[in-house]
PDB file of all heavy atoms in Angstrom:
ATOM      1  N   ALA B  37      30.140  40.213 -42.807  1.00  0.00           N
ATOM      2  CA  ALA B  37      28.968  39.861 -41.954  1.00  0.00           C
ATOM      3  C   ALA B  37      28.063  38.945 -42.782  1.00  0.00           C
ATOM      4  O   ALA B  37      27.522  37.916 -42.224  1.00  0.00           O
ATOM      5  CB  ALA B  37      28.203  41.068 -41.554  1.00  0.00           C
ATOM      6  N   LEU B  40      29.717  35.388 -42.964  1.00  0.00           N
ATOM      7  CA  LEU B  40      29.651  34.711 -41.694  1.00  0.00           C
ATOM      8  C   LEU B  40      28.208  34.212 -41.335  1.00  0.00           C
ATOM      9  O   LEU B  40      27.981  33.148 -40.878  1.00  0.00           O
ATOM     10  CB  LEU B  40      30.077  35.646 -40.522  1.00  0.00           C
ATOM     11  CG  LEU B  40      31.599  35.601 -40.243  1.00  0.00           C
ATOM     12  CD1 LEU B  40      31.896  36.706 -39.179  1.00  0.00           C
ATOM     13  CD2 LEU B  40      31.954  34.265 -39.746  1.00  0.00           C
ATOM     14  N   HIS B  44      26.613  30.570 -40.643  1.00  0.00           N
ATOM     15  CA  HIS B  44      25.805  30.245 -39.476  1.00  0.00           C
ATOM     16  C   HIS B  44      24.518  29.523 -39.911  1.00  0.00           C
ATOM     17  O   HIS B  44      24.081  28.581 -39.332  1.00  0.00           O
ATOM     18  CB  HIS B  44      25.416  31.515 -38.740  1.00  0.00           C
ATOM     19  CG  HIS B  44      26.327  31.801 -37.595  1.00  0.00           C
ATOM     20  ND1 HIS B  44      26.424  33.095 -37.017  1.00  0.00           N
ATOM     21  CD2 HIS B  44      27.084  30.995 -36.840  1.00  0.00           C
ATOM     22  CE1 HIS B  44      27.342  32.982 -36.059  1.00  0.00           C
ATOM     23  NE2 HIS B  44      27.684  31.754 -35.860  1.00  0.00           N
ATOM     24  N   THR B 110      29.989  38.538 -28.374  1.00  0.00           N
ATOM     25  CA  THR B 110      30.736  39.278 -29.378  1.00  0.00           C
ATOM     26  C   THR B 110      30.226  40.699 -29.577  1.00  0.00           C
ATOM     27  O   THR B 110      30.784  41.450 -30.352  1.00  0.00           O
ATOM     28  CB  THR B 110      30.684  38.553 -30.714  1.00  0.00           C
ATOM     29  OG1 THR B 110      29.283  38.166 -30.928  1.00  0.00           O
ATOM     30  CG2 THR B 110      31.480  37.275 -30.742  1.00  0.00           C
ATOM     31  N   LEU B 121      27.251  49.413 -35.773  1.00  0.00           N
ATOM     32  CA  LEU B 121      26.519  48.133 -35.586  1.00  0.00           C
ATOM     33  C   LEU B 121      25.488  47.941 -36.716  1.00  0.00           C
ATOM     34  O   LEU B 121      25.289  46.833 -37.154  1.00  0.00           O
ATOM     35  CB  LEU B 121      25.780  48.284 -34.214  1.00  0.00           C
ATOM     36  CG  LEU B 121      24.940  47.068 -33.776  1.00  0.00           C
ATOM     37  CD1 LEU B 121      25.787  45.814 -33.649  1.00  0.00           C
ATOM     38  CD2 LEU B 121      24.265  47.381 -32.499  1.00  0.00           C
ATOM     39  N   ALA B 158       4.144  35.282 -65.635  1.00  0.00           N
ATOM     40  CA  ALA B 158       3.602  36.053 -66.744  1.00  0.00           C
ATOM     41  C   ALA B 158       4.562  37.091 -67.278  1.00  0.00           C
ATOM     42  O   ALA B 158       4.774  37.287 -68.445  1.00  0.00           O
ATOM     43  CB  ALA B 158       2.239  36.686 -66.388  1.00  0.00           C
ATOM     44  N   VAL B 172      15.300  44.761 -50.984  1.00  0.00           N
ATOM     45  CA  VAL B 172      15.587  46.013 -50.353  1.00  0.00           C
ATOM     46  C   VAL B 172      14.603  46.306 -49.262  1.00  0.00           C
ATOM     47  O   VAL B 172      14.961  46.703 -48.105  1.00  0.00           O
ATOM     48  CB  VAL B 172      15.589  47.218 -51.408  1.00  0.00           C
ATOM     49  CG1 VAL B 172      15.732  48.584 -50.699  1.00  0.00           C
ATOM     50  CG2 VAL B 172      16.686  46.961 -52.352  1.00  0.00           C
ATOM     51  N   SER B 176      15.276  46.515 -45.103  1.00  0.00           N
ATOM     52  CA  SER B 176      14.905  47.710 -44.337  1.00  0.00           C
ATOM     53  C   SER B 176      14.098  47.302 -43.138  1.00  0.00           C
ATOM     54  O   SER B 176      14.247  47.765 -41.956  1.00  0.00           O
ATOM     55  CB  SER B 176      14.132  48.689 -45.161  1.00  0.00           C
ATOM     56  OG  SER B 176      14.729  48.937 -46.377  1.00  0.00           O
ATOM     57  N   PHE B 191      10.290  42.161 -25.881  1.00  0.00           N
ATOM     58  CA  PHE B 191       9.679  42.133 -27.197  1.00  0.00           C
ATOM     59  C   PHE B 191       9.950  40.796 -27.859  1.00  0.00           C
ATOM     60  O   PHE B 191       9.138  40.322 -28.579  1.00  0.00           O
ATOM     61  CB  PHE B 191      10.266  43.229 -28.069  1.00  0.00           C
ATOM     62  CG  PHE B 191       9.803  44.538 -27.673  1.00  0.00           C
ATOM     63  CD1 PHE B 191      10.423  45.725 -28.196  1.00  0.00           C
ATOM     64  CD2 PHE B 191       8.768  44.809 -26.816  1.00  0.00           C
ATOM     65  CE1 PHE B 191       9.997  47.009 -27.829  1.00  0.00           C
ATOM     66  CE2 PHE B 191       8.343  46.071 -26.454  1.00  0.00           C
ATOM     67  CZ  PHE B 191       8.967  47.192 -26.946  1.00  0.00           C
ATOM     68  N   GLY B 206      -0.153  40.798 -44.805  1.00  0.00           N
ATOM     69  CA  GLY B 206       0.734  40.972 -46.044  1.00  0.00           C
ATOM     70  C   GLY B 206      -0.029  40.399 -47.289  1.00  0.00           C
ATOM     71  O   GLY B 206       0.515  40.590 -48.389  1.00  0.00           O
ATOM     72  N   PHE B 270      18.909  52.302 -33.204  1.00  0.00           N
ATOM     73  CA  PHE B 270      20.287  51.907 -33.020  1.00  0.00           C
ATOM     74  C   PHE B 270      20.986  52.878 -32.056  1.00  0.00           C
ATOM     75  O   PHE B 270      21.855  52.487 -31.255  1.00  0.00           O
ATOM     76  CB  PHE B 270      21.035  51.898 -34.389  1.00  0.00           C
ATOM     77  CG  PHE B 270      20.964  50.536 -35.089  1.00  0.00           C
ATOM     78  CD1 PHE B 270      20.255  50.392 -36.260  1.00  0.00           C
ATOM     79  CD2 PHE B 270      21.601  49.439 -34.561  1.00  0.00           C
ATOM     80  CE1 PHE B 270      20.187  49.216 -36.904  1.00  0.00           C
ATOM     81  CE2 PHE B 270      21.506  48.211 -35.206  1.00  0.00           C
ATOM     82  CZ  PHE B 270      20.860  48.129 -36.370  1.00  0.00           C
TER      83      PHE B 270
END
Side-chain angles (χ1 to χ4, degrees):
Chain B
L40 272 175
H44 262 159
T110 47
L121 180 60
V172 172
S176 311
F191 288 165
F270 271 113

